[in-house]
Each structure stands twice: as structure tokens, then as C-alpha cells.
Amino acid sequence: MLALEMFRSIPRFAAAKVSGGRMPGLLVGPMAPLRLVTRDEPAVRRPGWAQVRPLLSGICGSDLGAITGQTSLYFSALVSMPFVPGHEIVGELAQDCEDLPRGTRVVVDPVLACAARGVEPCEPCRTGRTNLCNHVTVGHLSPGLQTGFCQDTGGGWGERLTVHRSQLHVVPDALSDERAVLVEPLACAVQLARRAQVPAGGSVLVSGAGAVGLFAVLALRELTDAGRITVIAKHGRQAELARAFGASDVAAPDEAMRAVRRTTRALRVAPQGLPAPAARLSSASEMLLGGVDVAIDAVGSTSSLDTVLRSTKAGGRVVLSGMPAGADLSPAWFRELEVAGTYASAGDAFEVAIGLAGRAPMDGVVGGRYPLHRWREALDHAQSAGRLGAVKVCFDVRSRA
Ligand SMILES: [Zn+2]
């Protein structure tokens, strides 16, 4: 079968880390630690496992982070190389899988928790928090926190992967492939909305209007009684979609602090003693006394995290969605903020997400579809998605065009 494979290459990893992000053309150049290969179909010959033929597979920010070397070394122990990336998957069962007949259209919960690994359930799994499984490196599978990061299972960026019954959710006939491929990121947004613990009528700031931020707005409107939701968006199309998904206001990054100050009647404080050029540049070093009840970092950059930390009111909550970069944590201390992570999803999040994918105004959210062999174009498009007016870029795995 044909698949994209991520391999370990320290020199390439280092080069990608230096160049990734700043020079997007280079991330898919000759130094990228990704290649198109012909390899054996993955097979796990144990009860409950079956092959899936992917139809569409999304490209996630975490995939780009891994390829460009932006991902924290923390994760290196939680993956097994080489692996086929791709964890946002709609596909068809290529074999019967317990109660599900061959041909059933499915979406995949990528977390490889105790049930999939064939080990006694750990404490998080026993209590339904499979996203927090302690056993993602043990059992009969190689290490891998998710499908798409484990060498034994394959991933969505290949013509076949293998999945465990516990990972599968059936796609209703009425849900198109283009909407179904959004179910996994929507399930993460459902988890995010639950972790946000927004008080009734509470104000929320969402920093970032890529797929994570936009889907966060949808899920917050679906699952919470949030009052005003302010979204920080860089690009026009993102601002439009944020409003369509339920945002009350949208602000550009350099106006975000002012927008929050105005809507929450907070007091703005600027740092002292900076030379004039630095003071002008460092809008992120302003801070508010007062601010939103809950702020969500949906970017994972230092400036985004600084902005959310500095715009949250005393005793408020900051939610980290995506892999966070470092930031100045002084506000967390001084304002007694609660800093909460949100990772993948658990419980009934996939069922809620399937409902959302069917109801929400999702037309046009998939802004690009590429065959596997055009992976360089696909990743380039995904890296620049916001600027190019796309929310999600996908591989059309069956296409050879
Ligand atoms: Zn577990």
C-alpha cells in the first residue's frame, strides 16, 4: 500500500526546527522527515482489530508540529518511529469488526488506550477518561499516544490502517465524508468546552481562529451557557466563520487586549521601563486587571498564551488547547488563575461531535483535498490555511489524480 511515513532523522529534525514555521516552503522541502513509501498493510492479529480504508484524512496542527520539529521533546517517548501520521479519519471497514460489518463507514477515536492495548484498564480508563490513559506505551502495541503516532497501527495518511473496535464510531448515512472528517477535531472541541467550565453568562476569550478555535466556539455554544465570546482572528474568512459559529465579537491580534478591556470594563496596565520600540511592539506585555472569566489558547504560541494569561480576570480559568509554547506565568500566580489542559476527548464526545458535524454550518470548511502523492502541496496549504481562507485541509486517500 501507499502511505506517507514520518521517520526519525535528527539532522532533518534540527533543520526543520530551525526553519519550520518561519519559512513554510522549507518544511515540505527535501529536509522534511516525511516520505511517500510503499509498505506492508498494517495488521494487528488480535480480537477486536480490523483494517480500515481511509476515505478522507485531515491534517492537524499537531501533525504539522511533528513534521516541523516544533513539537516538544516530551512527546518523543510517546510515539514509535517510523509511523504513518493521520488521526482525523473517516473511512470504511475493509473487514468485519465484531458487530460492525465490512463496508461500514466509521470515524476513529485515535487514542490508543488500555482496551486497544489489551491490558487491564488503568485508573483513568476505569473512570471513562480514556484520553488520560496511563498505558499508551505498553501492552501488545508499540508506544503511541494515538493512531497516527504508532508504528504498528498505520494512520490516516496511508491506504490502510488497523483499528480496535473500541476506537470506532459509526457515521450516519446523512453525514457526508467532508463533514465526517471533522468529527475528531469536533470531539476535541467538545472536550475543550467541558474543560472550560464556563459559568452561566460568563465571558470567554478564544485566542485563535483556526480549526481548533472555530470549533471551540461551536462547542461552547452547544454545551455551555457562555455569554459574550470574543475571538481573536488574523484573517477575514476566519472572522466570518467565527461569527457564523457563534462569536459575539472578533478582534485582530493587536486589538484583542483593547476589545477585552472594553467589553469587560477591565483596567489596562502597561509595563514600565521598556525602550519605546519594544513598548510599541509588545502588545502582549500589556495586562488587564479584570478581564474574561475563561480564556482559551487555541494557537499554542507564546504570544497567544501570553494574551490569554493577561486577559483573564482574577480567579478565572485559562484553557490550553493544542501544544502550548512557553509563556510568562506571572499572571497565573498573581491573579490566582486556574490553568487547565485539554487533550483529545473522552466519554460521549464523539457522539456529540457527530451531531454537531451534521447541524453546524460546515459547508466549505474543508478547503482543500489532495491525493497522497501531492503531500508537499497539501502540507503547504495546511500551514497557510488561515491566510488562504481554508479551515481544514485533507488527504483524499483514494485519489491518485
Ligand atoms: Zn488506560
Side-chain angles (χ1 to χ4, degrees):
M1 69 159 194
L2 214 53
L4 289 165
E5 183 181 83
M6 172 134 181
F7 57 99
R8 200 184 299 280
S9 157
I10 298 301
R12 292 189 190 213
F13 183 83
K17 198 169 176 67
V18 170
S19 62
R22 282 195 298 279
M23 299 171 72
L26 284 184
L27 98 90
V28 294
M31 297 305 273
L34 193 72
R35 60 193 168 201
L36 186 65
V37 296
T38 303
R39 57 185 264 165
D40 293 340
E41 293 180 1
V44 175
R45 291 176 217 294
R46 293 177 71 100
W49 286 85
Q51 281 192 346
V52 166
R53 192 182 301 123
L55 300 168
L56 295 178
S57 290
I59 299 171
C60 167
S62 65
D63 300 320
L64 297 174
I67 294 163
T68 58
Q70 306 295 306
T71 301
S72 164
L73 265 184
Y74 176 88
F75 288 98
S76 61
L78 305 176
V79 305
S80 45
M81 298 264 190
F83 60 77
V84 178
H87 58 274
E88 300 179 355
I89 303 160
V90 55
E92 289 171 343
L93 275 173
Q95 301 163 336
D96 296 345
C97 186
E98 296 188 342
D99 54 318
L100 302 178
R102 176 181 169 178
T104 304
R105 213 157 48 106
V106 292
V107 286
V108 178
D109 178 347
V111 176
L112 292 169
C114 289
R117 291 180 168 278
V119 294
E120 281 299 304
C122 65
E123 196 268 331
C125 282
R126 269 202 309 277
T127 52
R129 297 172 299 152
T130 48
N131 60 326
L132 304 183
C133 178
N134 291 331
H135 289 159
V136 294
T137 59
V138 300
H140 65 81
L141 290 177
S142 300
L145 66 170
Q146 295 191 354
T147 296
F149 298 94
C150 172
Q151 67 176 9
D152 300 343
T153 59
W157 300 2
E159 291 178 319
R160 287 280 194 289
L161 70 152
T162 181
V163 298
H164 187 255
R165 177 67 185 90
S166 62
Q167 298 180 273
L168 294 178
H169 299 267
V170 175
V171 178
D173 291 341
L175 198 64
S176 66
D177 293 342
E178 288 218 339
R179 285 175 178 249
V181 75
L182 303 173
V183 167
E184 194 278 341
L186 281 168
C188 296
V190 167
Q191 176 76 10
L192 182 161
R194 289 174 170 161
R195 294 284 296 151
Q197 298 179 5
V198 183
S203 54
V204 182
L205 176 68
V206 178
S207 172
V212 176
L214 290 171
F215 293 174
V217 177
L218 266 182
L220 287 164
R221 285 296 181 220
E222 175 86 3
L223 296 160
T224 75
D225 293 321
R228 184 181 286 275
I229 300 180
T230 302
V231 174
I232 305 178
K234 265 191 189 164
H235 307 287
R237 172 75 179 141
Q238 293 180 330
E240 256 170 54
L241 279 168
R243 288 200 181 86
F245 287 179
S248 322
D249 334 83
V250 181
D254 56 351
E255 289 167 356
M257 212 61 109
R258 208 172 318 143
V260 173
R261 179 179 59 84
R262 205 172 46 236
T263 56
T264 61
R265 300 204 189 89
L267 190 68
R268 176 180 166 276
V269 198
Q272 302 295 307
L274 287 178
R280 263 203 311 279
L281 283 174
S282 58
S283 55
S285 56
E286 302 168 334
M287 57 178 276
L288 300 179
L289 297 176
V292 292
D293 293 291
V294 177
I296 294 161
D297 171 17
V299 178
S301 70
T302 298
S303 69
S304 171
L305 186 49
D306 270 328
T307 300
V308 298
L309 285 164
R310 287 155 189 264
S311 336
T312 306
K313 75 177 190 190
R317 192 166 172 90
V318 166
V319 183
L320 311 176
S321 176
M323 295 179 196
D328 178 1
L329 287 171
S330 303
W333 161 72
F334 176 58
R335 302 274 83 193
E336 293 194 348
L337 303 181
E338 301 196 13
V339 178
T342 173
Y343 164 72
S345 70
D348 66 351
F350 264 75
E351 309 313 326
V352 176
I354 286 170
L356 258 179
R359 279 193 308 279
M362 291 295 194
D363 291 338
V365 166
V366 172
R369 293 167 60 148
Y370 293 86
L372 291 175
H373 72 89
R374 288 172 59 198
W375 63 272
R376 293 175 196 273
E377 281 168 85
L379 297 185
D380 240 355
H381 193 175
Q383 181 85 347
S384 309
R387 186 167 54 74
L388 299 174
V391 177
K392 182 58 70 183
V393 176
C394 294
F395 286 108
D396 185 339
V397 182
R398 291 157 306 174
S399 166
R400 295 284 178 99

